[in-house]
Amino acid sequence: MKALICYFSGTGNTKKVATCFGEALKNLKVDVVLHNIDDGCNVDFSDVDMLGVAYPIHAFNAPSIVIDFAKKLKKQERETRLFIIKTSGEPLALNNISSCKLKSILKKRNFVLTNEYHYVMPYNMIFRHSDSMAYRMWKVASQIIPLDCKDMVDGKSVKLRYFPFSRVLAGMFRIEHWGGRFNGKKYKVNENCVHCQMCVKRCPTHNITFENGEFHFGKNCLMCVRCSFNCPKNAIKIGWFDKWKVNGAYNFNNPDGTEQKTHKNYCKHSYNKYFAKNEKRIEAFKDKIDAIS
Ligand SMILES: Cc1cc2nc3c(=O)[nH]c(=O)nc-3n(C[C@H](O)[C@H](O)[C@H](O)COP(=O)(O)O)c2cc1C
């Protein structure tokens, strides 16, 4: 069996999850090829039995780069299994609607959804989670991924529950797709900048240029926040959303990181529910996880 996992990751969370998924499938004797959507649409589908698409949720939708990638894929001669992997900063069920459009584009190309998974990872925008929360999120995701992969390889179909009128609802929130065009041009660099140009080199749409000592931000911003999140001097202002900016990689290995006071109760109920459900599953299948990891 061969699986091709195509992923887009703005700031690393989805890459971390997609890589873990790939490793877990390999442990189950599946041939896995990982493709970073940053590198374009040139993918080889020969002998592929399952296509996986992984993305971070942006305003209850899949990022436009993922939608464009899907549109460029050729129609397959035979039906091919599709699995979708999403990461997001919160476990709200509303996030499930993010794959509606992607799913229908891929269905027209003969990719039929059989499995869909959603893993909560720390926010890269809106507010910063504590390292202890990031640690717990990753601990849960990395332990349930082998179980999810085992189900998938055994042919068990898993789908997320959607709200009624999901496509309409998702369409209403698709602000990132047009918002990036306007907001992207409002990005600015402040005096802390040391001109390392890491942002220029890493932008997935080559939207940032540096000419005559000045940075220019074009209209092809995806709002993936890779530039501002990774800026070593926290020197990039992200337009209208600057108050929601998060800067600096998370430490996923620090269980004792102090809890954020300001957002202690934000979506508390849904996080508790997410952890309780998954930690219970991990406990119940401890031996199975050890055997397949
Ligand atoms: C523009 C933008 C919009 C986002 N919208 C949502 C959202 O609607 N729901 C959510 O739970 N998380 C949202 N997030 C958080 C990301 O989905 C989350 O942090 C994700 O794990 C980031 O993955 P990445 O590191 O692969 O880019 C948003 C992040 C950005 C940058």
Side-chain angles (χ1 to χ4, degrees), residues 7-280:
Y7 68 89
F8 171 71
S9 183
T11 58
N13 287 348
T14 312
K15 183 177 181 185
K16 203 169 166 69
V17 166
T19 307
C20 181
F21 217 91
E23 289 305 316
L25 285 176
K26 278 184 199 162
N27 287 341
L28 295 163
K29 311 271 178 280
V30 176
D31 264 351
V32 179
V33 177
L34 278 170
H35 172 76
N36 186 344
I37 292 177
D38 277 13
D39 298 334
C41 303
N42 204 0
V43 278
D44 179 10
F45 276 101
S46 44
D47 307 328
V48 167
D49 303 290
M50 297 191 281
L51 168 69
V53 181
Y55 64 84
I57 295 173
H58 284 178
F60 307 111
N61 279 277
S64 51
I65 193 171
V66 175
I67 297 293
D68 293 343
F69 171 80
K71 283 182 182 163
K72 284 180 192 148
L73 293 182
K74 284 200 194 104
K75 186 171 177 182
Q76 301 297 295
E77 279 167 23
R78 61 185 169 93
E79 260 191 16
T80 304
R81 270 179 81 179
L82 168 70
F83 58 97
I84 293 180
I85 305 165
K86 317 162 187 193
T87 73
S88 82
E90 68 201 23
L92 289 181
L94 194 56
N95 278 320
N96 293 352
I97 65 176
S98 68
S99 49
C100 291
K101 189 165 181 194
L102 178 69
K103 202 174 64 171
S104 89
I105 293 169
L106 289 173
K107 195 173 173 195
K108 288 184 192 137
R109 285 152 183 79
N110 239 344
F111 296 101
V112 181
L113 183 74
T114 57
N115 294 66
E116 195 170 15
Y117 301 103
H118 175 203
Y119 305 103
V120 177
M121 292 291 277
Y123 262 133
N124 59 356
M125 193 177 176
I126 302 183
F127 68 87
R128 190 176 182 86
H129 280 288
S130 63
D131 281 346
S132 60
M133 191 72 158
Y135 170 86
R136 194 172 177 197
M137 286 172 179
W138 178 238
K139 194 170 173 211
V140 163
S142 59
Q143 285 183 294
I144 53 171
I145 284 172
L147 287 177
D148 290 340
C149 287
K150 178 82 175 94
D151 283 351
M152 204 165 76
V153 169
D154 289 348
K156 187 176 165 193
S157 174
V158 175
K159 292 193 185 161
L160 299 173
R161 252 196 275 153
Y162 288 19
F163 281 87
F165 310 112
S166 290
R167 273 199 81 164
V168 182
L169 217 54
M172 282 162 54
F173 285 108
R174 205 166 290 137
I175 45 165
E176 169 254 351
H177 291 225
W178 53 265
R181 282 181 168 263
F182 299 105
N183 188 59
K185 293 188 87 168
K186 298 213 165 296
Y187 277 37
K188 283 198 171 47
V189 170
N190 70 19
E191 63 287 353
N192 297 337
C193 173
V194 289
H195 297 177
C196 70
Q197 297 183 51
M198 201 193 273
C199 53
V200 177
K201 288 171 211 145
R202 290 192 178 176
C203 175
T205 57
H206 311 290
N207 193 46
I208 313 171
T209 49
F210 184 69
E211 279 163 31
N212 304 325
E214 275 187 38
F215 286 91
H216 300 276
F217 295 88
K219 60 177 169 49
N220 291 322
C221 176
L222 287 176
M223 286 179 66
C224 70
V225 298
R226 189 182 294 173
C227 56
S228 54
F229 185 85
N230 291 308
C231 176
K233 296 290 173 188
N234 193 10
I236 302 177
K237 290 183 150 232
I238 58 168
W240 299 318
F241 301 99
D242 204 51
K243 281 211 167 73
W244 284 356
K245 184 173 70 174
V246 175
N247 175 258
Y250 283 96
N251 178 356
F252 288 96
N253 301 314
N254 181 11
D256 304 319
T258 48
E259 208 48 68
Q260 272 270 10
K261 288 277 184 295
T262 43
H263 291 288
K264 219 174 169 183
N265 292 319
Y266 178 88
C267 286
K268 196 174 170 184
H269 179 66
S270 61
Y271 284 113
N272 284 346
K273 221 167 120 187
Y274 173 81
F275 286 129
K277 182 180 137 208
N278 287 303
E279 285 167 354
K280 199 169 152 196

